């Protein structure tokens, strides 16, 4: 026995015959879509945009250039943007953000426990997004059930990322600054010792002339006196004074370096420039009521039509078998 045919004409006739059922199911789907939209908890999305400055623009070699003047772009390149994106995706930065934004109070979870901390980190990872654009700016956005929370998290993420990004460069400079300060302190102690020794020798031998060949502007001063003791005193004064003068020059050079590194490591320098600060959104994110009802109606229409066609073909098939 051959299988009964079910061509386009049968499809059209079935749809015309069962159009009331199709309309009813479609209206029910639209109603369910409206109910879903009404009971669904609204979410809000806030975003902040910022640019990345070139860290080398604030380096001491650029600020205190003495020999060669090189042109350095004020804005960071792709490598700098990649570093900032990597920081925003790191657990260290995200942990600071959720702590600064008081996630334990917003989401009612204990951040000091391993389970609670993992839950808060999961919530943040789910709703936080970082995106680069072709204009070399970065957008950070956050979705939350409260509009103020969404804006606060977006702005805090930029602040924390800027602090961590700056610390990468200033931490090394701060270490160098501390090392130079220690060296200057040691030089001060050594210079004091040599000064006391030099004063004692001058008083002992009566040598008060400036007689230091190591000085560039004074090769020798007027020396008065004679005798073996005086000659020995001149030699000892020259030996000690040459060492002391070198230490004084080293100290002056180190203090100059100290000022340069301290300036380049200042916390007043900004490495991220916000061009659009996140504001509390006035409307929820996601699909609108029109979109939800349209999609629900189309789905209801499709499945209801498919249902009546399948049932019609099944009935026709059963009638042929009988």
């Amino acid at each position: 026995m051959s299988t009964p045919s079910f061509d386009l004409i049968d499809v059209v006739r079935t749809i015309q015959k069962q159009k009331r059922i199709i309309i009813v199911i479609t209206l029910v789907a639209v109603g369910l879509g409206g109910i879903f939209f009404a009971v669904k908890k609204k979410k809000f999305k806030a975003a902040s945009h910022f640019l990345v400055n070139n860290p080398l623009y604030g380096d001491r070699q650029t600020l205190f250039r003495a020999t060669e003047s090189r042109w350095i772009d004020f804005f960071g390149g792709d490598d700098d943007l990649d570093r900032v994106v990597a920081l925003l995706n790191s657990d260290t930065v995200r942990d600071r953000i959720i702590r600064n934004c008081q996630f334990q109070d917003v989401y009612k979870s204990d951040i000091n426990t391993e389970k609670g901390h993992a839950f808060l980190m999961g919530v943040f990872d789910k709703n936080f997004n970082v995106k680069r654009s072709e204009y070399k700016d970065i957008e950070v956005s956050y979705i939350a059930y409260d509009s103020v929370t969404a804006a606060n998290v977006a702005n805090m993420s930029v602040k924390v990322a800027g602090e961590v990004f700056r610390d990468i460069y200033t931490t090394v400079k701060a270490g160098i600054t501390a090392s130079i300060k220690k060296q200057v302190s040691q030089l001060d102690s050594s210079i004091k010792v040599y000064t006391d020794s030099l004063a004692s020798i001058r008083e002992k031998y009566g040598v008060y002339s400036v007689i230091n060949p190591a000085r560039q502007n004074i090769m020798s001063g007027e020396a008065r006196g004679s005798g073996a003791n005086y000659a020995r005193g001149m030699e000892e004064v020259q030996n000690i004074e040459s060492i002391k003068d070198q230490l004084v020059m080293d100290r002056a050079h180190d203090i100059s370096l100290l000022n340069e590194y301290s300036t380049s490591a200042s916390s007043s320098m900004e490495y991220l420039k916000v061009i659009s600060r996140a504001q509390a959104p006035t409307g929820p994110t996601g699909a609108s009521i029109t979109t939800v009802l349209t999609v629900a109606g189309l789905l209801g229409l499709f499945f209801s039509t498919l249902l009546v066609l399948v049932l019609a073909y099944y009935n026709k098939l059963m009638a042929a078998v009988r």
Side-chain angles (χ1 to χ4, degrees):
M1 183 180 64
S2 61
T3 304
S5 62
F6 196 77
D7 52 18
L8 181 60
I9 297 178
D10 295 324
V11 171
V12 173
R13 289 177 178 177
T14 302
I15 293 175
Q16 290 178 344
K17 183 178 180 181
Q18 304 293 338
K19 62 182 179 180
R20 291 184 178 180
I21 298 177
I22 296 176
I23 293 174
V24 170
I25 296 177
T26 302
L27 293 177
V28 171
V30 172
L32 293 175
I35 295 174
F36 170 78
F37 183 84
V39 300
K40 181 183 178 183
K41 197 172 182 179
K42 302 297 185 296
K43 289 185 177 181
F44 300 88
K45 179 180 179 181
S48 178
H49 298 78
F50 62 91
L51 297 171
V52 180
N53 297 336
N54 190 349
L56 296 179
Y57 199 86
D59 188 72
R60 76 176 189 91
Q61 296 290 351
T62 305
L63 295 175
F64 301 95
R65 56 182 182 269
T67 55
E68 182 181 1
S69 177
R70 294 183 178 180
W71 182 84
I72 296 179
D73 191 1
F74 181 78
F75 298 101
D78 292 333
D79 292 339
D80 298 314
L81 270 67
D82 291 339
R83 294 186 185 99
V84 174
V85 172
L87 289 175
L88 287 169
N89 289 323
S90 66
D91 291 340
T92 303
V93 171
R94 297 192 172 194
D95 178 73
R96 287 181 57 179
I97 294 173
I98 66 174
R99 291 182 184 276
N100 292 346
C101 293
Q102 304 296 321
F103 266 40
Q104 65 273 16
D105 297 330
V106 175
Y107 294 98
K108 309 300 180 184
S109 181
D110 189 1
I111 197 173
N112 296 319
T113 63
E114 182 178 355
K115 183 177 180 180
H117 184 267
F119 168 74
L120 295 177
M121 289 290 286
V123 172
F124 183 88
D125 293 342
K126 180 180 179 181
N127 297 292
F128 184 74
N129 185 46
V130 182
K131 182 172 62 177
R132 285 181 53 180
S133 73
E134 65 274 15
Y135 303 106
K136 290 190 175 182
D137 68 309
I138 298 178
E139 177 192 273
V140 291
S141 60
Y142 189 77
I143 300 175
Y145 292 114
D146 179 60
S147 59
V148 177
T149 300
N152 289 340
V153 174
N155 292 325
M156 182 58 68
S157 64
V158 178
K159 180 181 178 181
V160 173
E163 293 174 352
V164 176
F165 187 59
R166 182 178 62 234
D167 289 344
I168 293 176
Y169 296 92
T170 58
T171 299
V172 177
K173 297 176 183 178
I176 296 174
T177 301
S179 178
I180 295 177
K181 285 183 179 180
K182 184 178 180 180
Q183 183 64 26
V184 170
S185 178
Q186 293 176 354
L187 288 174
D188 288 338
S189 300
S190 299
I191 291 172
K192 183 177 179 181
V193 171
Y194 282 105
T195 300
D196 294 339
S197 300
L198 187 61
S200 299
I201 294 175
R202 286 183 180 276
E203 291 177 358
K204 178 179 179 180
Y205 296 103
V207 180
Y208 300 104
S209 301
V210 179
I211 46 175
N212 184 6
R215 295 191 179 183
Q216 298 178 359
N217 58 341
I218 300 178
M219 298 303 296
S220 64
E222 183 181 358
R224 296 179 181 179
S226 61
N229 290 336
Y230 187 80
R232 182 177 180 83
M234 288 181 61
E235 294 299 327
E236 291 185 6
V237 167
Q238 288 185 92
N239 292 337
I240 297 177
E241 195 169 349
S242 62
I243 298 175
K244 176 195 169 184
D245 284 0
Q246 184 62 49
L247 294 178
V248 170
M249 288 187 294
D250 292 343
R251 179 179 179 274
H253 179 263
D254 290 346
I255 291 178
S256 178
L257 288 178
L258 182 62
N259 292 332
E260 292 181 9
Y261 278 108
S262 298
T263 303
S264 62
S266 175
S267 59
S268 61
M269 290 188 178
E270 294 184 358
Y271 286 81
L272 301 183
K273 181 61 178 178
V274 178
I275 58 178
S276 178
R277 183 176 175 83
Q279 302 292 334
T282 57
T285 186
S288 63
I289 180 63
T290 303
T291 303
V292 173
L293 295 180
T294 301
V295 172
L298 292 176
L299 290 176
L301 178 63
F302 173 77
F303 285 107
S304 61
T305 303
L306 182 63
L307 177 63
V308 297
L309 291 177
V310 170
L311 291 177
Y313 179 72
Y314 178 77
N315 292 333
K316 189 173 183 180
L317 183 63
M318 293 300 296
V321 171
R322 293 175 182 176

